[in-house]
Amino acid sequence: MSYVDEVLEKVKQKNPDQPEFLQAVTEVLNSLRPVVEANEEKYRKLAILERITEPDRQIMFRVPWVDDNGQVQVNRGFRVQFNNAIGPYKGGIRLHPSVNLSIIKFLGFEQVFKNSLTTLPIGGGKGGSDFDPKGKSDNEIMHFCQSFMTELYKYIGADTDVPAGDIGTGAREIGFMFGQYKRIRDLYEGVLTGKGLSYGGSLARTEATGYGLLYLTQELMKCHGESMEGKTVAISGSGNVATYAAQKAQQMGAKVVTLSDSTGWIYDPEGIDIELLKEVKEVKRARLSEYAAARSSAEYHDKKNADDHGVWNIKVDIALPCATQNELNLDDAKALVANGVKAVCEGANMPTTIEATEYLQQNGVWFVGGKAANAGGVATSALEMSQNSERLSWSFEEVDQKLKGIMVGIYHAIDDAAKKYGMEGNYVAGANIAGFEKVVNAMIAQGVV
Ligand code: NDP
């Protein structure tokens, strides 16, 4: 049995109840086969694949807090510190009722390779809780965040582990968590990224993931002799990544015609009104149906069931899934291909199922996975860490220019890695290989730890 198959078997036996984690490991290890085969004896002896698929540590804890009615609520908190071979652990905090150990482990595992791809010195980790911020008052959010940090602070630090935002964790939540960390540790340090501008945040961090996704997509199009100008784009989600992806796509001359949230989706053939979107989502924190109610060109569709991903049935040139994992399945991929889609780039983490990814690749769609395409967020978080260490703040333009350079660099790194191993155009394999090689070289140099 090949080394990859042996390790896949072991990982399945050890984690039978973690489907998302197994999905991520299967996808990554399968695409690493050419590199592993070229180094099989050495990697097997050093147990490289066993070590890279086992987190350094996983922390789970109780998060008790009191709601506005005086009722005590209890959530479960997580931090998975996956690999710090090339820098302190870095990865977001997800607050969503679906959060469990499998999801946090899959995200932490992917983060290792993504962070490596940015070329910046950051290891991989992820955290979160099954807490649902929807419908909670500011007071309840603060109580939850303070309780969460009262345990988490023991394991993090500016040179140890630097969490950031993710689904359900925006500037408000990061602010409450930062305040509690500072209070408990009596230490003003860059322990979290995504902070407010008045207390150590970086300009352009809010926009970074969405903007970065578009910088990479633009480079991909350019290298295939195309431009963004005049292209029609489908985006899913309507949170941080989706909003700024839509904004940058339109600045580049494309027309974004869809968005979604967990209850429904919109089709706006005139192109999304970004200001209205921000008003509905960022100011009112309302549902997308309110966008459609305020704009005559937009149609709102209720989501019929968990498998209703209506946005992928619209005819577009480019599709950018920016909501959550496994939101683009094989049927969606077939609909996109039938409608002539040219490129699919993932703003979210693992939004495309393995079958859908394969179908898109087999049908000549230029497909770039989240590890490369959404790395702009964490790259800019690392730039926030640099600014905190220097105790300086860079201008929006300076951060944005660096972000653009990093995303263009990532596109070429994954393209080159795919070509080097005879898989030209397979950007998924290219991203995994480019990210993996750097981490493995650092692990080998640091001995058996
Ligand atoms: P937000 O919480 O700001 O937005 C998430 C969006 O996705 C919302 O529109 C939400 O709808 C929708 N969504 C979430 N869960 C589901 C679900 N189970 N079914 C359908 N829709 C859902 O998160 P972000 O925009 O920050 O993150 C989106 C994705 O991008 C995630 O996969 C995240 O891990 C990834 N990512 C984010 C980065 C960042 O910098 N923010 C960096 C790199 C990756 P609703 O409001 O109804 O829940």
Side-chain angles (χ1 to χ4, degrees):
M1 199 190 268
S2 77
Y3 181 37
V4 166
D5 288 324
E6 231 174 71
V7 174
L8 278 176
E9 209 39 57
K10 278 189 208 164
V11 175
K12 277 181 201 151
Q13 275 169 15
K14 280 190 176 179
N15 308 283
D17 53 348
Q18 297 181 359
E20 293 85 2
F21 177 58
L22 292 176
Q23 182 182 343
V25 172
T26 305
E27 184 259 310
V28 170
L29 294 201
N30 272 333
S31 72
L32 290 175
R33 281 177 195 275
V35 193
V36 175
E37 277 161 19
N39 299 279
E40 178 139 356
E41 203 181 328
K42 180 164 90 176
Y43 286 0
R44 195 190 279 272
K45 187 144 195 269
L46 293 172
I48 288 295
L49 296 184
E50 287 88 339
R51 283 157 66 193
I52 213 163
T53 52
E54 186 70 27
D56 289 355
R57 65 191 63 76
Q58 17 190 342
I59 300 142
M60 284 171 63
F61 49 97
R62 184 177 66 235
V63 189
W65 55 280
V66 184
D67 72 16
D68 288 349
N69 298 321
Q71 174 65 48
V72 175
Q73 302 284 345
V74 179
N75 287 101
R76 182 174 279 181
F78 300 86
R79 187 73 186 164
V80 173
Q81 298 179 329
F82 223 105
N83 185 303
N84 66 354
I86 63 168
Y89 306 106
K90 179 103 199 82
I93 292 174
R94 177 172 293 192
L95 300 181
H96 193 273
S98 64
V99 163
N100 57 37
L101 188 59
S102 170
I103 290 181
I104 298 299
K105 276 180 72 180
F106 118 65
L107 290 162
F109 179 69
E110 296 260 303
Q111 197 84 44
V112 175
F113 304 96
K114 180 190 306 191
N115 292 2
S116 167
L117 273 179
T118 65
T119 70
L120 302 170
I122 38 178
K126 197 83 187 185
S129 172
D130 57 1
F131 172 77
D132 187 356
K134 273 198 207 94
K136 303 286 190 300
S137 67
D138 282 353
N139 208 33
E140 290 174 323
I141 298 277
M142 185 176 73
H143 286 155
F144 169 81
C145 290
Q146 290 182 337
S147 179
F148 183 76
M149 186 51 84
T150 299
E151 182 63 23
L152 186 68
Y153 90 94
K154 297 170 188 166
Y155 312 101
I156 63 176
D159 294 316
T160 319
D161 182 354
V162 184
D166 190 68
I167 291 178
T169 306
R172 175 180 57 169
E173 292 74 17
I174 292 288
F176 292 146
M177 289 180 196
F178 183 76
Q180 185 73 347
Y181 179 87
K182 191 186 57 153
R183 181 187 193 194
I184 298 176
R185 297 288 310 271
D186 196 17
L187 195 59
Y188 206 108
E189 62 168 0
V191 65
L192 290 158
T193 57
K195 298 185 291 298
L197 293 177
S198 58
Y199 59 96
S202 174
L203 285 161
R205 173 59 187 93
T206 305
E207 295 82 356
T209 309
Y211 277 23
L213 171 66
L214 266 296
Y215 293 140
L216 182 137
T217 306
Q218 185 180 44
E219 188 67 12
L220 168 81
M221 298 297 282
K222 192 173 119 196
C223 292
H224 287 89
E226 301 260 4
S227 82
M228 294 299 298
E229 187 72 40
K231 297 290 184 298
T232 314
V233 181
I235 293 183
S236 62
S238 49
N240 172 265
V241 181
T243 300
Y244 292 95
Q247 182 171 59
K248 184 52 77 178
Q250 302 208 150
Q251 284 172 7
M252 289 174 171
K255 184 155 73 166
V256 177
V257 294
T258 70
L259 289 170
S260 65
D261 61 21
S262 44
T263 48
W265 58 282
I266 51 167
Y267 173 51
D268 188 345
E270 298 289 309
I272 298 298
D273 178 337
I274 304 289
E275 290 316 310
L276 175 61
L277 171 66
K278 287 186 182 172
E279 172 69 21
V280 170
K281 285 302 203 182
E282 292 181 355
V283 182
K284 294 189 182 159
R285 295 181 189 267
R287 312 308 304 159
L288 264 185
S289 46
E290 286 207 19
Y291 173 98
R295 186 155 158 96
S296 58
S297 57
E299 297 166 10
Y300 178 77
H301 300 263
D302 262 328
K303 190 170 169 169
K304 291 184 215 72
N305 54 55
D307 282 332
D308 176 1
H309 310 295
V311 297
W312 311 128
N313 289 306
I314 303 292
K315 182 173 168 49
V316 290
D317 303 304
I318 298 169
L320 306 174
C322 296
T324 192
Q325 64 272 4
N326 294 328
E327 51 152 322
L328 197 164
N329 62 26
L330 183 59
D331 287 339
D332 304 323
K334 287 181 177 167
L336 284 168
V337 168
N339 280 325
V341 77
K342 288 181 198 302
V344 176
C345 299
E346 294 183 333
N349 284 314
M350 207 169 72
T352 315
T353 63
I354 291 180
E355 303 77 47
T357 301
E358 285 168 359
Y359 186 84
L360 292 169
Q361 289 174 320
Q362 283 156 8
N363 284 277
V365 176
W366 309 320
F367 179 86
V368 185
K371 224 171 276 137
N374 70 31
V378 74
T380 308
S381 280
L383 300 179
E384 182 174 330
M385 289 165 71
S386 303
Q387 294 170 76
N388 291 164
S389 301
E390 286 189 328
R391 301 198 189 279
L392 288 175
S393 303
W394 305 338
S395 68
F396 186 97
E397 290 69 29
E398 189 173 355
V399 180
D400 192 37
Q401 266 317 106
K402 285 190 164 70
L403 168 66
K404 189 168 184 186
I406 289 168
M407 297 313 295
V408 169
I410 289 177
Y411 171 74
H412 289 285
I414 66 174
D415 188 37
D416 291 349
K419 285 178 181 152
K420 180 173 155 193
Y421 286 94
M423 294 185 280
E424 182 164 355
N426 186 341
Y427 304 111
V428 174
N432 288 332
I433 293 167
F436 174 80
E437 283 187 324
K438 183 174 165 193
V439 175
V440 167
N441 291 340
M443 285 170 68
I444 293 174
Q446 291 169 23
V448 180
V449 290

